Amino acid sequence: MALEFHISPGGSVPIYRQITDQINHAVLAGHLQSGDALPSVRALAETLVINPNTVARAYGELVRDGVLESQQGKAVTVAPRRQKYTKAERLRRLEPALQAFVSAALLLGFTPAEIGAMVERRLAEFASRTPGKGDGRD
Amino acid sequence: MALEFHISPGGSVPIYRQITDQINHAVLAGHLQSGDALPSVRALAETLVINPNTVARAYGELVRDGVLESQQGKAVTVAPRRQKYTKAERLRRLEPALQAFVSAALLLGFTPAEIGAMVERRLAEFASRTPGKGDGRD
Amino acid sequence: MALEFHISPGGSVPIYRQITDQINHAVLAGHLQSGDALPSVRALAETLVINPNTVARAYGELVRDGVLESQQGKAVTVAPRRQKYTKAERLRRLEPALQAFVSAALLLGFTPAEIGAMVERRLAEFASRTPGKGDGRD
Amino acid sequence: MALEFHISPGGSVPIYRQITDQINHAVLAGHLQSGDALPSVRALAETLVINPNTVARAYGELVRDGVLESQQGKAVTVAPRRQKYTKAERLRRLEPALQAFVSAALLLGFTPAEIGAMVERRLAEFASRTPGKGDGRD
DNA sequence: GTGGTCTAGACCACG
DNA sequence: GTGGTCTAGACCACC
């Protein structure tokens, strides 16, 4: 089964970002495995009724991030997952999302216990694809 | 005690939006009551080290939305008569931040245990200064 | 003194890449320090007589790499240098250049001694801006 | 003993170009003499696990440039009468690879000592199989 | 067929 | 003023 992309052109999140998010999510959830091929730039652009450049940008950023791989004349594929960033850099990149989530949750009146439970429940949904037992190094 | 604002200028979310979000949340969570005064545009701009225009824009949009009230020469205050969110509504509002945070954390390679610990640690940091008895610092 | 960019539009290396390379090089050599502002997208595009989008792409990639920082409505600046990648990832990223250099050098008939000397001499030229004494961690 | 080709399909340099470069270098460094036979298109394509068209293209361009000669039904051979590069020319040809390698290494945060060590280690790996007495493997 | 690059020009959001 | 996004359409290189 191929991926199904859903974009909402009017939203505040840019289209290319919606695409990268969905691919990231699919990789995380295991719907896309290492080596899987993605739809071609032109094909995806056609099904989403957007400009091929927009798809190319999404793919390009993921390639630069090491999530995807591309070779001339061949389809873009999912790259093997590897730990790319140092612990410090990973914390730095996660910080805004952490801050936004915790602030919003508290301001909306949730208790710490409720917040912790929500996070755990959500994490459990992804449990199928844990990134490996890990060797502790980064 | 007035609100504590937390802004991250480097992030992708515009500063004025971070302010409006936090005020909205605080009002609907009951931390800001009808009639409460907000810091003046200049004062807030100074403490956040941002352009006064940015604060003015945030206040302006909230006044336009009926969340705040402003009168010539007087402090901006919270407008009366806002119904609080229902539990379901609060969950719905929190959902995007939850999703963004958990996805980003897993994508960066953090383990569920690490993620839970980070959230708890951050919650503890907030708890230490939210009780409301006030320590004079802001 | 501002940077002077030199591009050769006809070459095989894409223009946006020539720009990123020169900025990277300038940062490395210390000509650009952390916090320094770069020319605006439009300004640089005009002086180089290229499309603003091309400059924007170069800046954008460097921002995503953490070399530059940008905030809405403000100039793009040089970000503080930090170790972003794990040792393994750094080796992986350097590999193609290492392979290309050593292969070419040997095939051109240089002896190992000559090759080593060339590298050391080139490294010495950058000596002024060593990335810090380092703490051994990555 | 025939040439040992090293290609990296994932890199940005096209495969056919990697082949022509290596043949060119070998010829001009004297590792391939006038009249020497090259592996057949199909054989080389098989050992490199690439498309035969790609090998054919590489050979074709070299024939067009007068570096190789091909006759119906016979192996492709090295054409006679090529003057070797002068020392200065060899240095000039190596310059881009040197520059790219050193810049990339420093940008990634490697120390001069590490860089020197990597080059020496890589040179040693080549040395162990270049002496020409041949160990039967390729 | 595939992806990669560049241009031209438009519109928006931010400060 | 700044950068960010998107479109339309072109051309190239590679396989």
Side-chain angles (χ1 to χ4, degrees), chain A residues 25-36:
Chain A
H25 190 273
V27 169
L28 254 188
H31 298 143
L32 277 178
Q33 303 278 348
S34 171
D36 286 354

Side-chain angles (χ1 to χ4, degrees), chain A residues 71-72 74, chain D residues 5-23 44-45 48-59:
Chain A
Q71 295 171 229
Q72 287 284 22
K74 304 181 68 169
Chain D
F5 289 95
H6 304 279
I7 63 167
S8 44
S12 63
V13 260
I15 297 175
Y16 89 95
R17 193 60 191 283
Q18 297 182 44
I19 296 174
T20 57
D21 284 350
Q22 291 183 44
I23 293 177
L44 185 53
L48 295 181
V49 197
I50 59 177
N51 192 313
N53 289 334
T54 306
V55 179
R57 171 169 182 178
Y59 281 9

Side-chain angles (χ1 to χ4, degrees), chain B residues 38-118:
Chain B
L38 278 83
S40 77
V41 169
R42 284 187 307 174
L44 185 52
E46 203 165 323
T47 65
L48 295 181
V49 197
I50 58 178
N51 194 312
N53 289 333
T54 305
V55 179
R57 171 169 183 179
Y59 281 9
E61 298 211 349
L62 290 168
V63 168
R64 187 171 53 70
D65 288 350
V67 176
L68 299 182
E69 286 177 339
S70 86
Q71 302 174 18
Q72 287 286 12
K74 304 182 66 171
V76 172
T77 57
V78 177
R81 289 199 346 89
R82 293 289 292 181
Q83 43 200 342
K84 298 190 174 167
Y85 292 145
T86 65
K87 172 101 177 192
E89 177 69 6
R90 284 156 61 213
L91 278 173
R92 205 184 62 75
R93 297 246 167 187
L94 185 56
E95 174 56 27
L98 209 205
Q99 176 65 23
F101 167 63
V102 170
S103 289
L106 288 172
L107 204 67
L108 283 169
F110 289 104
T111 66
E114 287 175 316
I115 297 170
M118 281 190 294

Side-chain angles (χ1 to χ4, degrees), chain B residues 8-64:
Chain B
S8 44
S12 63
V13 259
I15 297 175
Y16 88 96
R17 191 63 189 282
Q18 297 181 44
I19 296 174
T20 57
D21 285 350
Q22 291 183 44
I23 293 176
N24 265 324
H25 285 150
V27 168
L28 291 156
H31 296 139
L32 276 178
Q33 304 283 346
S34 169
D36 285 355
L38 278 83
S40 77
V41 169
R42 284 187 307 174
L44 185 52
E46 203 165 323
T47 65
L48 295 181
V49 197
I50 58 178
N51 194 312
N53 289 333
T54 305
V55 179
R57 171 169 183 179
Y59 281 9
E61 298 211 349
L62 290 168
V63 168
R64 187 171 53 70

